[in-house]
Amino acid sequence: MSLWNWLFVALAAFVFLYAFFVVALVVAGRRESARALAGFIPDCIILCSRLLRDPRVPRRKKALLVALAGYLALPFDLIPDFIPVAGQIDDVIIAALVLRTLLRGGGEPLVRQHWPGPENSLALVLRLAA
């Protein structure tokens, strides 16, 4: 199988699992949590793009954000994504480490300013990074 096929299969599996968890929250009666989960990844993408365009963010931190995006886009990781749960945990840990580095450099006000999503999702991001 070619690299593009693997990438497509991994993306399709991720979207399926993501949609499954959102639907499961709706069925469980937790509509607000489902709404927050459905928007979490798009909110993180918007946050990173806004931080990359902000001149107050040092180049070294921008390079870390670009490296994180590249790592997350690759179809192969430390632990492959097709392994349930463990495959996504390494991505979360690396993203949290990059955010921690950004926040420890005095970037929490920037993250708060650029976060497009709900406050409870921002609290989760800050808690993961701290």
Side-chain angles (χ1 to χ4, degrees), residues 12-105:
F14 175 76
V15 168
F16 175 77
L17 285 173
Y18 193 59
F20 173 78
F21 285 119
V22 171
V23 169
L25 285 171
V26 169
V27 169
R30 299 181 60 189
R31 292 188 184 277
E32 187 174 322
S33 296
R35 204 172 291 126
L37 178 61
F40 187 74
I41 290 179
D43 289 343
C44 289
I45 292 169
I46 292 169
L47 172 67
C48 287
S49 69
R50 288 178 179 175
L51 288 172
L52 286 172
R53 287 180 282 170
D54 193 321
R56 297 173 290 176
V57 177
R59 286 185 198 157
R60 178 180 281 172
K61 308 288 176 155
K62 288 181 181 182
L64 279 174
L65 288 169
V66 170
L68 173 65
Y71 176 79
L72 294 176
L74 288 175
F76 50 89
D77 298 353
L78 294 174
I79 302 172
D81 286 339
F82 62 83
I83 298 174
V85 181
Q88 287 74 35
I89 288 178
D90 70 323
D91 294 344
V92 170
I93 290 171
I94 290 173
L97 290 174
V98 169
L99 282 174
R100 172 182 268 186
T101 302
L102 182 71
L103 292 172
R104 287 198 174 178

